[in-house]
Amino acid sequence: MTSLKQLNPVDLLFVAGENARIYHHTAGLVILDTSEAPRFDFEHFRDRVIRRLQQVPHFRWKLHEVPFGLDRPYWVEDNNFSWDKHFKRIAVPAPGDRAALAEVAGHIYSRHLDRSKPLWEMWYIEGLADGKVAIIQKTHHCMMDGQGMQKLGELLSDFSPRGRARAVSPEIRNARPGATPEPRQVSANTALHWAQLPLSLARNLAGSIGPELGKRLSRKKCDQQTKPAVPRLFFNDEISADRGVDYGTLGLADIKKVKAAFDVTVNDVVLALVSATLRSYLQRFDELPGESLRGSIAVSLRATGDDEFSNKVTNTSVTLATNLADPLERLRLISQDAESAKDKARHGGVGIVEIMQSLPPLVLHSMVNSVGPEQAIGMMGGNLVISNVRGSPRPMYIAGARMECMYPISILTTGMGINITCISYCDSVDFGFSLAPELFDQPWELVEGLETALREYLALIPDSRSKTRGKRGSARR
């Protein structure tokens, strides 16, 4: 029988979970300084990127979906593949400023990737002030997670204006999709998977109930705590198909000063800055609840040296301590809770997401569409998604043009009208905000809030402590 390659259960949720208002692609908004790259234009950029992507066969694969969503789709070669179908060109309106670019980025994000083709697009954006160029790469999340996207960025980039392409690993270069399945093969596999479904569900339910039952039987006080409450806010509501984009940059050195002074991680500082931003924004509109907001954060399950383009990530939730007025108390509580939550996520049992992934796409799609905002934030355990990705500490170039910054644009879903994702690059941390524009008034205040929060934490650092503890803290992230 012909070899076939089905979408794995981990990635299924990103495909079956889409509808007219929900997109499960991520994007990266990159701004390039072309002042020292006289040859740089659309054709030059396109040719250089194509030469790099030719090393990754995955970008020529598409989904072959099973009728009525009765079984997981198959990865197959796109026999009509053309690079021209994936490279787009657009210009921002005058004066080409930050607001104009954000509007165009939101428009580009707010449309589904075409499932009849490989699930990615590359947008070349002209008309920016000072002759700069922006690039937006849209990639469906079923292809790779945030760290996979970062590895792809490294493949497309160089550490010098005239750098040469780095070879990818043989596992990636030699990867192959399956053959297009015959109808009889689809029918046989579908029947088999439906027959195995009761056992699969029972196994996952046992994996979910077993650890919880063990906790109850142990009668340890620390394991008898109730699940933290998640207050519902104005952005925890139904969302439209429109997306807004907001972005800003903070100094990595300043974030590391806070990290070292208070013996926490970079991720803890990021969470504390987001907490302060949301606390201030909600106070501004008299919407700050008495209970703390919670953030859903990604936890990588990748082993060291894993370069595969795939999804190897789980989620957990942490307190944002927005109910505490003292910024240092907030930071300390966030740090404690984040360390505990990430450890449990890496060593925990099966959760609701894993149970859902064992379902056929038809059932999973119906379940996702029936979940309301209150149920969604309860399942995720948070009011919003917050992600932090480690990027390159060295300047990078694309087709000879220097990369100034890179802003992640990520997924919104029912009940979560805001997503904040950041990536470190050189001496900066670039923050990308994805927003449901109908739910937010004056969203640019969120970026300003990050800047204000960082200044507040820097002002709390005693000079002596920052000097004596900086060295010890520099090893933690």
Side-chain angles (χ1 to χ4, degrees):
M1 183 174 285
T2 306
S3 175
L4 303 176
K5 185 180 182 71
Q6 275 188 287
L7 191 74
N8 67 52
V10 174
D11 302 333
L12 175 61
L13 186 60
F14 297 116
V15 173
E18 287 191 312
N19 58 35
R21 296 173 292 108
I22 306 298
Y23 315 101
H24 278 167
H25 52 254
T26 58
L29 170 61
V30 174
I31 298 178
L32 300 175
D33 180 356
T34 64
S35 60
E36 297 183 8
R39 294 182 54 206
F40 189 92
D41 59 15
F42 174 71
E43 295 299 332
H44 181 65
F45 163 78
R46 177 185 176 280
D47 291 345
R48 285 284 292 270
V49 171
I50 288 174
R51 286 204 294 270
R52 303 295 173 89
L53 289 182
Q54 284 173 334
Q55 299 185 76
V56 185
H58 308 67
F59 282 82
R60 299 187 295 276
W61 302 356
K62 68 176 184 177
L63 291 177
H64 178 86
E65 299 191 72
V66 176
F68 308 111
L70 293 174
D71 199 7
R72 285 179 279 129
Y74 295 80
W75 285 116
V76 300
E77 190 82 25
D78 182 1
N79 294 324
N80 297 313
F81 178 79
S82 168
W83 294 107
D84 291 336
K85 296 177 182 178
H86 296 270
F87 283 83
K88 316 286 184 177
R89 189 175 184 180
I90 195 172
V92 298
D97 58 8
R98 172 176 167 175
L101 178 57
E103 183 178 0
V104 169
H107 173 74
I108 289 173
Y109 188 91
S110 303
R111 56 192 295 272
H112 283 289
L113 289 165
D114 185 350
R115 291 196 187 180
S116 69
K117 301 182 295 188
L119 295 173
W120 64 274
E121 292 175 349
M122 191 78 71
W123 288 78
Y124 183 94
I125 306 175
E126 302 168 285
L128 272 64
D130 302 323
K132 295 176 182 176
V133 170
I135 305 297
I136 291 183
Q137 181 180 341
K138 287 173 60 175
T139 308
H140 202 284
H141 212 320
C142 72
M143 292 182 65
M144 63 189 72
D145 56 25
Q147 289 195 32
M149 282 288 290
Q150 175 59 24
K151 295 178 187 303
L152 174 63
E154 293 173 357
L155 171 66
L156 299 179
S157 307
D158 304 301
F159 291 121
S160 71
R162 296 176 179 81
R164 294 185 177 182
R166 296 179 295 280
V168 301
S169 66
E171 291 79 10
I172 293 174
R173 187 174 60 253
N174 298 327
R176 296 292 180 270
T180 300
E182 298 289 340
R184 60 183 178 80
Q185 294 174 304
V186 171
S187 298
N189 284 344
T190 300
L192 177 62
H193 292 155
W194 276 88
Q196 294 173 337
L197 182 59
L199 180 60
S200 176
L201 285 174
R203 186 185 304 114
N204 283 334
L205 285 170
S208 175
I209 296 171
E212 184 63 28
L213 183 61
K215 290 179 182 179
R216 291 178 181 272
L217 293 175
S218 70
R219 298 186 181 278
K220 292 181 180 179
K221 184 177 179 180
C222 63
D223 287 333
Q224 293 178 348
Q225 297 173 350
T226 57
K227 188 176 180 179
V230 182
R232 184 175 174 182
L233 303 170
F234 64 85
F235 55 78
N236 299 130
D237 207 340
E238 298 285 356
I239 62 174
S240 73
D242 294 329
R243 296 293 183 269
V245 170
D246 192 353
Y247 58 85
T249 297
L250 298 179
L252 179 58
D254 286 339
I255 289 177
K256 286 185 174 181
K257 285 180 184 177
V258 178
K259 160 192 174 291
F262 302 111
D263 196 23
V264 294
T265 68
V266 166
N267 194 61
D268 295 335
V269 178
V270 167
L271 291 172
L273 295 177
V274 170
S275 170
T277 297
L278 292 173
R279 176 182 164 85
S280 176
Y281 186 83
L282 292 171
Q283 283 180 323
R284 159 100 160 70
F285 295 98
D286 196 25
E287 295 275 359
L288 183 66
E291 308 96 334
S292 173
L293 275 67
R294 295 188 66 81
S296 176
I297 64 172
V299 180
S300 176
L301 301 178
R302 286 179 180 268
T304 303
D306 183 352
D307 291 330
E308 186 177 354
F309 293 110
S310 63
N311 286 286
K312 295 184 179 178
V313 66
T314 188
N315 287 80
T316 189
S317 75
V318 299
T319 183
L320 296 180
T322 52
N323 57 322
L324 300 179
D326 186 288
L328 287 184
E329 286 186 30
R330 287 202 303 270
L331 177 59
R332 292 186 181 111
L333 183 57
I334 288 169
S335 178
Q336 294 169 7
D337 195 48
E339 183 175 359
S340 173
K342 286 186 284 189
D343 183 66
K344 289 180 181 178
R346 293 188 181 103
H347 303 96
V350 175
I352 184 66
V353 173
E354 287 78 11
I355 294 173
M356 292 174 67
Q357 288 167 349
S358 65
L359 299 171
L362 172 68
V363 179
L364 182 53
H365 182 73
S366 298
M367 287 182 62
V368 170
N369 283 338
S370 66
V371 171
E374 189 114 17
Q375 295 168 299
I377 64 174
M379 289 169 59
M380 294 295 289
N383 299 94
L384 73 160
V385 174
I386 307 168
S387 299
N388 175 23
V389 180
R390 186 196 297 266
S392 171
R394 300 166 57 188
M396 301 182 76
Y397 299 79
I398 297 179
R402 188 183 187 279
M403 187 186 303
E404 279 196 349
C405 44
M406 58 180 83
Y407 300 108
I409 308 172
S410 200
I411 296 169
L412 301 186
T413 189
T414 297
M416 291 188 174
I418 179 172
N419 178 304
I420 304 176
T421 302
C422 67
I423 183 168
S424 61
Y425 171 59
C426 291
D427 55 357
S428 300
V429 179
D430 296 327
F431 286 79
F433 289 67
S434 304
L435 303 158
E438 69 277 6
L439 300 180
F440 282 87
D441 187 23
Q442 302 178 34
W444 289 102
E445 290 187 5
L446 293 165
V447 173
E448 296 169 359
L450 286 175
E451 298 165 353
T452 301
L454 182 54
R455 287 196 299 268
E456 183 178 30
Y457 275 108
L458 289 170
L460 294 173
I461 300 175
D463 290 341
S464 60
R465 188 178 185 189
S466 111
K467 290 176 183 177
T468 57
R469 299 189 67 178
K471 186 175 181 180
R472 182 181 67 159
S474 63
R476 298 186 66 200
R477 179 174 174 82

